[in-house]
Every structure is written in structure tokens, then in C-alpha cells.
Amino acid sequence: MGEDKVFLRTASGLVKNISGVEAVLMNVVFMGFLFAFIELPFAAGLFPGAQLPISALLVIPASLAIAVMYGLFTMSMPRTGGEYVFVGRTIHPSVGFLVNFYFSAVLWSWIGSVVGWVPIYGLAPWFSALAVVAPSASQATYWINMAALMYDPFVGFAITFVLISIGTLVVYGGSKWVIRASYVIFAVTVVAIIAYFATILGAGHTGFVAGFDARSGTTVAAVETAALAQVPNGFIATPIFLATFLGTLHIFLGTLGYSGNAWCAGEVKGTRTHLYAMIGAVVIFGILVWPIYYITYLVFGFDFINASSFLATLGYPGWYEFTWAYSMPSYLIAFTTTNVWIIGLVNLAVCMVCVGSCGIVIPFLYTRNIFAWSFDRLLPSKIADLDKRGNPVWAILIMFITAQFANFLTFFTGVFAFLLYSMLGWFIGVFILSIAAIWFPYRRKDIFDAAPPLAKKMIGPIPLISLFGILSLFVSIWVIVASLTPGAIAFFVSVEYIIGMVITLIIGPVWYFIARAYWQSKGLPIHLAHKELPPE
């Protein structure tokens, strides 16, 4: 058999029906702007002394550099599969599969674990906030009990099972249904952010302190004092640059969605669209998310955020004696207003962001990576079959089954502990992708020369994609260092985490060479065709 028989058909069969605006929208819903409500106390708790508004300012231009690199790569190779194609056609297919398989494994884990945040970081803070503003003791007790119920693993599993099932139905509806859902989620998110800003700014710091002291069961001063008692355990009461630098780790996590359209490139109209969608997603992130960090710190205060986040994240005395809720802004808003509709809107938006990002958009993209592997015969060819609407139905079924398995693992095992800091493995992948971007114009001059003019633009003697590859290389080193640093507290990455990450990284190349050996035994030289771009 020749190279022309390696690919399953002469065209992918995927339909280009995602516009530029829709690609931006999909990316921003993937990013999930209100994840900032969760990432803020995590970062402030793990790295006390971090000034997260400054951390966010550092992350935005760094993420923009990687987004441009991704965009130029996607313009040059507009095929479904992202890094699997970019790195695989530039360096080696096994290396491309290493990166894309690891990214897909992380996406898979997020479907189960982040949709699983709905009961813990969506509903529990919501119910706890309703208890704070309840007009009677009996109603407060009811909502406190409801909040406590959200921590039951069987309840969490059941809620997540239903939400993943609903998200799968949206994905099965095709890209247009994914985009329609994204419009709704984005609209609710923006309205919720505006309502949040107006509410807490209206109360101001003085109003928040008065409300917290009156209705929390403790006081702002008591929380700050409780944290000061933990100085021997790593609490730092004053801002320090190291903590601010390390705090970027969790904010980087919130920006990763800018690359979403790279994984479904075969369904996006136009070539420049890819670059503009990725840049646009980072710009919108900066416009909406940086103010969340700044205004939250402005109203609640550095000292309180620093203290409450440390106590709540690490479980020291002084926080959970008074509430079931994590120290999230979506809970703290209850101390600036008694309006249950505003409280409900903000917390509903958090739930919708979890489902929209990791229950709809990520599953959609995850199925496209599975499709790309099958199209290249790394999985059974049946998986790349499309229905009459152009949906990879078998890939969607695999996504649903594996996502529910991830749901089970999330609530009943600790197996995802190695993905707690998935940023280390992720940015090892970005490091490899950056090397590929630097090398691409020279290693694959044939593909580079055939790319659109913008994708092969030169800055003096240096190709633009190589320049942004260099910048992205430095950013990836930054995040890798931050991921491995114990930080401003005694928090160390476990040996089990490192082992789990390494195993996940090596599965891809091992898988590739097994598939290659199998097909070679059948007389099909897939490694030769994998040097070329797949059909559109």
C-alpha cells in the first residue's frame, strides 16, 4: 500500500461552519472567566503574600505570546488535532502525539473534575451565601445543610453525571449547538461580572467589613489574627514578589483556552481567523478577568484575602468553623448585599462556566483530537466515522464514557492527584511546541512556504513564528519553574505526582510506535504519510 491509502479518505468530512467571532467565543468560554473566583483563593492560599492583580498583569502578555505562536502554527497547518499535527509534522509524529495525548489526558480529567466543581465551588458557596442572608434561623439552617450535602461524594457524582450527560447532548448537536450554548454562557457570565462589580463596589471595603463582622459568625480581624498564628506553618502577612511570581501559575491555568480553535481547525472558516480568535480571547480575558482580581482585592482587602485564602485552602483553624464555603468571591458577596437575586446570578454563572468550559467546549475539542488520531490510524478507523451532520459519533461516545469514568475517579478515588499541578506537564508540552515553532520554517520549508503570507512573515532575518516560538519558550520555562518551586509555603510536589505525569507523557510515543509497527506488519507505511498534512 502507498501513502495515499494511509488516511481513511481523501477529505476529513468535517464541515467548516465556525466563524471567526464564534471561534473567539468558543475560546473565551473554554477559558471560563469566572474560574478566577476559584483560582484567586487557591493561588492566594498556596502562595501567601501574592498580589494577584500584579500576577494577572504578568500573565496576559505572556499568554498573548503563546497565543500568537499557536495562531501562526494553525494558519500554516489548519487541520484538526492541534499539536499532534504541528509538532508531529515538524519534529516527529511520536513527539506530536506525546504533546497532544498529554493535553487530551488533562482535558479528559477536567471534564470529570471541573464539572465536578459545580457542587463544591458552585452550589456549596451559593447555599452558604443564602444561609448568610436568610431571614430566619430555620432557613439559615436549611441552606447550611444543603451546602454540607454538596460535599457528599455520591451527591457530587450524581450532579456531575447529569451535567456531563447534558453537555454530551449539546456536543452531539454539532458545532452550531456548542456555539449557541457558548453565547448563552458568555452573556450570563458578562452580566454576572457586571453585577458583581456593581454590588461589591457599592458596599466598599467598609461595608464588606461591617457585613462580614455582623453575619459570618466571626470577624475580619479574627480571620486575619488566625492566619497570623500560622506564621510558623508558612503564612506570610505582607506582599512579596516571589509569591506574586508563583501566583501566576493558577492564572496561567485560566488562560489556556485561547488555543481551543487549534484542536478543531478543520471546522473553522478562513485562515487568519485562527490567529485573530486566539489573540481576541486573550484580550477579552484581560478586559474582563484582570478587573476581577483588582476590584476583589480593592473591596475585600489584601490582608483578608491573604488570610482567609490561606486558612481555607490549607484547612487551618479560623475559617471552616463558621462556613461550609470556600473563601470565594461568589460567597463573600453575601457580606456586601442581601439581594438573593444578585447572589444567585453570580453563583449560577460560576456553575454555568464550569459546565460550559469543561462540560461542553472541552468535550467538543476532546472528540476532535480523538478523531484526528483515528484519521491517522492511531485508533481504529471506525472512530473517525461521521454521521450525516458531520459529527464524529463514535468519538463522542468514547468521550461520554471516559468522561463519566473521570467523574467516578474524581469523587471516589485520588487518582487525579498527579494532575493537581497539570501545568507542569502542560508547559513541558508548550516547551516542545515552542521548539517546533522555532524550527518549523527551516525543518518544513515546504509547508512554511505554502502558508498564508501572514504566517510566513519575517521580522528581519527571523520568521515571525520562530520569534514567537522563542518568546513562548521563555514563558514555558517560567511556568515550569513556578510549578516545581515549593513556593512561599511548605508545599511540595509529591513523588507520586511526578511519576503520574511522566507516565502520562510517555504513553503517547509508546502508543504511536505500537500502532506504527502494527500497520507496517500489514504493509501500510503510516510513518511516511505522517510527514504530510492530513487531507482537509
Side-chain angles (χ1 to χ4, degrees):
M1 294 184 183
E3 289 181 35
D4 58 329
K5 299 295 184 182
V6 173
F7 300 113
L8 296 181
R9 42 189 179 264
T10 56
S12 71
L14 298 173
V15 180
K16 292 182 178 290
N17 56 7
I18 300 175
S19 70
V21 172
E22 291 168 344
V24 174
L25 179 69
M26 184 175 63
N27 288 351
V28 299
V29 171
F30 182 166
M31 296 167 89
F33 294 154
L34 288 183
F35 284 144
F37 283 178
I38 304 171
E39 291 154 0
L40 186 152
F42 264 124
L46 293 175
F47 308 115
Q51 294 179 295
L52 296 180
I54 296 176
S55 302
L57 286 177
L58 295 174
V59 166
I60 292 166
S63 294
L64 193 60
I66 300 175
V68 172
M69 176 189 68
Y70 255 108
L72 294 172
F73 239 147
T74 311
M75 287 179 66
S76 302
M77 306 186 204
R79 301 293 190 272
T80 294
E83 311 79 20
Y84 170 62
V85 178
F86 308 154
V87 179
R89 269 54 177 182
T90 302
I91 300 177
H92 192 273
S94 64
V95 183
F97 196 45
L98 178 154
V99 176
N100 191 246
F101 180 86
Y102 183 84
F103 286 1
S104 298
V106 173
L107 296 179
W108 163 67
S109 74
W110 287 348
I111 298 172
S113 58
V114 177
V115 177
W117 284 358
V118 169
I120 298 171
Y121 300 122
L123 297 177
W126 189 350
F127 298 155
S128 298
L130 292 177
V132 168
V133 300
S136 68
S138 61
Q139 289 186 40
T141 300
Y142 171 80
W143 288 117
I144 289 171
N145 291 337
M146 288 295 293
L149 185 63
M150 295 302 102
Y151 288 87
D152 184 305
F154 291 96
V155 173
F157 174 80
I159 292 172
T160 305
F161 185 94
V162 171
L163 294 175
I164 290 174
S165 300
I166 294 171
T168 301
L169 290 175
V170 175
V171 173
Y172 179 70
S175 59
K176 285 302 180 184
W177 278 101
V178 171
I179 296 302
R180 290 181 186 121
S182 297
Y183 271 115
V184 173
I185 293 163
F186 179 71
V188 173
T189 300
V190 171
V191 172
I193 289 173
I194 294 171
Y196 171 73
F197 289 162
T199 301
I200 68 171
L201 285 172
H205 181 67
T206 302
F208 165 70
V209 172
F212 189 86
D213 290 354
R215 301 198 297 272
S216 68
T218 182
T219 65
V220 168
V223 170
E224 293 172 359
T225 301
L228 288 172
Q230 300 304 327
V231 168
N233 293 319
F235 179 69
I236 297 174
T238 57
I240 60 172
F241 177 76
L242 176 60
T244 300
F245 168 76
L246 296 175
T248 61
L249 184 64
H250 285 274
I251 301 174
F252 269 116
L253 183 62
T255 67
L256 295 182
Y258 53 69
S259 61
N261 57 289
W263 292 315
C264 64
E267 295 167 83
V268 178
K269 301 173 184 176
T271 53
R272 291 194 176 201
T273 298
H274 297 291
L275 178 61
Y276 298 157
M278 294 177 186
I279 293 175
V282 177
V283 170
I284 295 172
F285 175 90
I287 292 171
L288 290 178
V289 176
W290 181 79
I292 291 178
Y293 287 96
Y294 177 77
I295 293 173
T296 298
Y297 269 77
L298 179 69
V299 174
F300 300 143
F302 168 84
D303 291 337
F304 177 80
I305 291 173
N306 196 39
S308 63
S309 298
F310 184 84
L311 298 176
T313 300
L314 299 180
Y316 287 115
W319 184 258
Y320 286 116
E321 296 89 339
F322 307 100
T323 181
W324 280 94
Y326 192 42
S327 55
M328 295 169 55
S330 50
Y331 165 66
L332 298 177
I333 192 175
F335 302 106
T336 64
T337 183
T338 58
N339 189 317
V340 296
W341 294 104
I342 292 177
I343 292 170
L345 172 63
V346 171
N347 283 276
L348 173 64
V350 173
C351 296
M352 292 180 69
V353 161
C354 291
V355 176
S357 173
C358 296
I360 296 175
V361 173
I362 284 179
F364 173 77
L365 299 173
Y366 176 51
T367 63
R368 271 49 187 178
N369 284 341
I370 294 173
F371 172 88
W373 306 341
S374 178
F375 198 79
D376 270 12
R377 297 186 184 272
L378 298 185
L379 288 175
S381 58
K382 184 71 175 176
I383 296 172
D385 284 355
L386 304 174
D387 66 10
K388 61 183 180 182
R389 294 174 300 170
N391 286 327
V393 288
W394 290 103
I396 293 172
L397 179 61
I398 290 173
M399 178 276 294
F400 175 73
I401 294 171
T402 57
Q404 294 295 7
F405 182 54
N407 177 23
F408 172 82
L409 294 176
T410 296
F411 286 98
F412 298 108
T413 77
V415 74
F416 284 154
F418 77 92
L419 288 172
L420 175 64
Y421 267 58
S422 53
M423 295 295 285
L424 173 57
W426 192 286
F427 274 84
I428 289 174
V430 174
F431 181 89
I432 295 171
L433 181 66
S434 301
I435 292 174
I438 296 168
W439 200 11
F440 166 59
Y442 311 101
R443 167 78 168 170
R444 295 309 307 264
K445 187 170 171 48
D446 55 332
I447 300 176
F448 179 73
D449 287 344
L454 180 57
K456 56 185 180 182
K457 185 176 178 59
M458 307 289 289
I459 302 297
I462 304 175
L464 186 63
I465 189 171
S466 298
L467 177 61
F468 278 94
I470 293 169
L471 294 174
S472 299
L473 194 71
F474 284 112
V475 174
S476 62
I477 292 171
W478 161 4
V479 180
I480 289 169
V481 169
S483 299
L484 289 172
T485 304
I489 59 171
F491 181 80
F492 295 89
V493 176
S494 70
V495 174
E496 292 81 3
Y497 156 59
I498 296 294
I499 292 173
M501 183 200 68
V502 170
I503 290 174
T504 308
L505 283 169
I506 65 175
I507 286 175
V510 171
W511 184 335
Y512 172 80
F513 283 111
I514 290 174
R516 171 174 162 171
Y518 170 79
W519 285 112
Q520 278 189 311
S521 72
K522 301 290 185 181
L524 192 61
I526 64 170
H527 63 290
L528 297 179
H530 289 172
K531 295 179 181 179
E532 307 303 324
L533 290 180
E536 287 197 74

